[in-house]
């Protein structure tokens, strides 16, 4: 008799594509498993107007409801984009049971028809509106294009591209609207997942725009004491991606960053060594503190802790505190 395995996910096209990939890998790796995908309407998906902060940031908006179902025993596991999981707080009773091999972690520029990157660069962004909901992307965009107007822009990956193409304005909680956008900055991996990679006008290198901690990594979360599920998930865990996730999230933990903090972190493994870079920016993008170290790949949390402490020694706490919601 097949073992039923229930995994929860958001309903967006990207979330479903990621969860279906988990299901394929589990079916191939684990004999006699019957994976059932359970879809959730999370607060962040149903409210496409508000900023995420009133919902408790990305954690409250996209993660909390599915986590609650795992803790209640209604699900065996939950799929998350790792960058949406808060890194400055623990969730008692839950662990990351597996991470899939990392997709490209970089950010990409998507343009509406008639807009070119050359024109944006030549004008330093003046006269153009760039849509994003990520404070990190907004801060880096202001560094790269100092005169660009960054506007609040919400929606799943395919929804944002549709709104860009249709010239739709972004509704605001106060009843107003901004836009339409001329350009978007989005995760390359998300565009790949929903079949929109052809819309990438430019891919930022990590040196230009350091990725968010965990960007490009799909995480599968389960109950800490559910040893059967943890054993099942171990069959699809990618050790390198898991180590990078541990290092990058340790930086977030040390910094006690919140969802309004422009924090970036990205690690790579070469042989038995890991290289980790992280940065903290102010919301304007004018101030940036950076730190980078290398160390044994089998001690990722120690490396993440060291880089986080380097950032604190350079004054990161003050920048983070200034961006903290009052």
């Amino acid at each position: 008799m097949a073992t039923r395995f229930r995994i929860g996910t958001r309903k967006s096209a990207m979330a479903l594509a990621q969860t279906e990939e988990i299901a394929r890998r589990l079916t191939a790796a684990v004999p006699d498993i019957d994976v059932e995908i359970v879809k959730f309407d999370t607060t962040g998906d149903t409210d496409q107007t508000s900023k995420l902060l009133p919902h408790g940031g990305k954690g409250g908006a996209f993660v909390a409801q599915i986590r609650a179902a795992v803790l209640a025993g209604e699900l065996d596991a939950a799929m998350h984009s790792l960058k949406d999981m808060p890194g400055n707080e623990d969730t008692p009773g839950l662990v990351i049971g597996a991470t899939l091999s990392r997709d490209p972690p970089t950010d990409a520029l998507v343009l509406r028809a008639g807009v070119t990157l050359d024109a944006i660069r030549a004008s330093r962004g003046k006269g153009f509106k760039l849509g994003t909901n990520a404070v990190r992307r907004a801060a880096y965009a202001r560094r790269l294009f100092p005169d660009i107007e960054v506007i609040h822009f919400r929606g799943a990956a395919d929804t944002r591209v549709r709104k860009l193409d249709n010239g739709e304005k972004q509704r605001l909680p106060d009843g107003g609207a901004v836009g339409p956008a001329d350009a978007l900055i989005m995760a390359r991996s998300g565009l790949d997942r929903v079949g929109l990679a052809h819309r990438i006008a430019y891919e930022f290198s990590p040196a230009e725009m350091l990725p968010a901690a965990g960007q490009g990594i799909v995480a599968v979360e389960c109950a800490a004491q559910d040893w059967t599920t943890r054993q099942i998930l171990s069959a699809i865990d990618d050790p390198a991606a898991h180590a990078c996730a541990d290092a990058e999230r340790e930086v977030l933990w040390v910094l006690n960053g919140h969802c309004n903090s422009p924090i970036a972190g990205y690690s790579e493994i070469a042989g038995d060594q890991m290289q980790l870079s992280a940065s903290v920016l102010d919301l304007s993008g004018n101030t940036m503190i950076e730190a980078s170290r290398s160390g044994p790949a089998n001690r990722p949390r120690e490396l993440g802790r060291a880089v986080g402490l380097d950032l604190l020694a350079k004054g990161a706490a003050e920048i983070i505190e200034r961006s903290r919601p009052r």
Side-chain angles (χ1 to χ4, degrees), residues 110-139:
V110 178
L111 303 174
R112 69 168 173 81
V115 176
T116 66
L117 177 58
D118 287 343
I120 294 175
R121 281 176 167 162
S123 66
R124 292 167 39 104
K126 188 173 180 62
F128 294 95
K129 294 181 172 65
L130 185 144
T132 181
N133 185 57
V135 292
R136 175 192 59 87
R137 290 177 182 146

Side-chain angles (χ1 to χ4, degrees), residues 303-320:
L303 182 60
R305 197 171 310 127
V307 169
L309 291 172
D310 285 346
L311 290 169
L312 290 177
K314 294 179 178 182
E318 182 182 351
I319 294 177
I320 292 171

Side-chain angles (χ1 to χ4, degrees), residues 60-141:
F62 298 131
V63 174
Q65 292 155 276
I66 306 176
R67 279 177 161 172
V70 176
L71 288 169
E74 298 164 7
L75 298 171
D76 296 292
M79 187 291 299
H80 305 297
S81 292
L82 188 64
K83 67 181 179 63
D84 292 339
M85 297 175 67
N88 63 322
E89 59 191 47
D90 279 330
T91 302
L94 295 178
V95 295
I96 295 175
T99 58
L100 301 190
S101 52
R102 191 169 209 166
D103 293 324
T106 46
D107 293 289
L109 187 69
V110 178
L111 303 174
R112 69 168 173 81
V115 176
T116 66
L117 177 58
D118 287 343
I120 294 175
R121 281 176 167 162
S123 66
R124 292 167 39 104
K126 188 173 180 62
F128 294 95
K129 294 181 172 65
L130 185 144
T132 181
N133 185 57
V135 292
R136 175 192 59 87
R137 290 177 182 146
Y140 270 109

Side-chain angles (χ1 to χ4, degrees), residues 53-304:
L53 193 58
H55 299 306
K58 286 187 173 182
F62 298 131
V63 174
Q65 292 155 276
I66 306 176
R67 279 177 161 172
V70 176
L71 288 169
E74 298 164 7
L75 298 171
D76 296 292
M79 187 291 299
H80 305 297
S81 292
L82 188 64
K83 67 181 179 63
D84 292 339
M85 297 175 67
N88 63 322
E89 59 191 47
D90 279 330
T91 302
L94 295 178
V95 295
I96 295 175
T99 58
L100 301 190
S101 52
R102 191 169 209 166
D103 293 324
T106 46
D107 293 289
L109 187 69
V110 178
L111 303 174
R112 69 168 173 81
V115 176
T116 66
L117 177 58
D118 287 343
I120 294 175
R121 281 176 167 162
S123 66
R124 292 167 39 104
K126 188 173 180 62
F128 294 95
K129 294 181 172 65
L130 185 144
T132 181
N133 185 57
V135 292
R136 175 192 59 87
R137 290 177 182 146
Y140 270 109
R142 293 182 181 111
R143 289 183 67 83
L144 294 168
F145 315 116
D147 296 325
I148 205 161
E149 180 183 351
V150 178
I151 61 173
H152 170 62
F153 213 77
R154 285 285 315 280
D158 52 330
T159 302
R160 276 177 280 164
V161 175
R162 186 205 72 221
K163 288 163 64 175
L164 174 76
D165 290 344
N166 293 344
E168 296 177 33
K169 291 191 174 185
Q170 168 67 52
R171 291 182 294 114
L172 298 176
D174 63 5
V178 291
D182 300 298
L184 307 175
I185 297 179
M186 305 174 66
R188 178 193 154 179
S189 57
L191 291 163
D192 286 343
R193 288 280 183 190
V194 297
L196 290 171
H198 64 283
R199 293 301 308 274
I200 296 174
Y202 182 75
E203 185 174 347
F204 298 99
S205 69
E208 293 172 302
M209 186 173 293
L210 198 63
Q215 186 157 300
I217 297 177
V218 174
V220 192
E221 197 171 40
C222 66
Q225 299 300 315
D226 185 351
W227 302 107
T228 299
T229 293
R230 293 182 70 168
Q231 180 66 29
I232 289 171
L233 292 178
S234 69
I236 62 168
D237 184 51
D238 183 277
H242 211 136
C244 288
D246 287 343
E248 294 164 26
R249 287 174 63 77
E250 189 71 13
V251 175
L252 298 180
W253 176 261
V254 170
L255 295 176
N256 192 27
H258 52 86
C259 64
N260 210 43
S261 306
I263 298 174
Y266 175 56
S267 56
E268 294 180 284
I269 295 176
D272 61 358
Q273 292 291 299
M274 175 183 285
Q275 176 75 29
L276 171 63
S277 299
S279 65
V280 176
L281 301 87
D282 68 0
L283 295 175
S284 70
N286 291 328
T287 302
M288 180 169 68
I289 296 173
E290 299 175 288
S292 182
R293 283 189 182 230
S294 60
N298 62 354
R299 295 162 70 179
R301 291 189 184 277
E302 290 185 27
L303 182 60

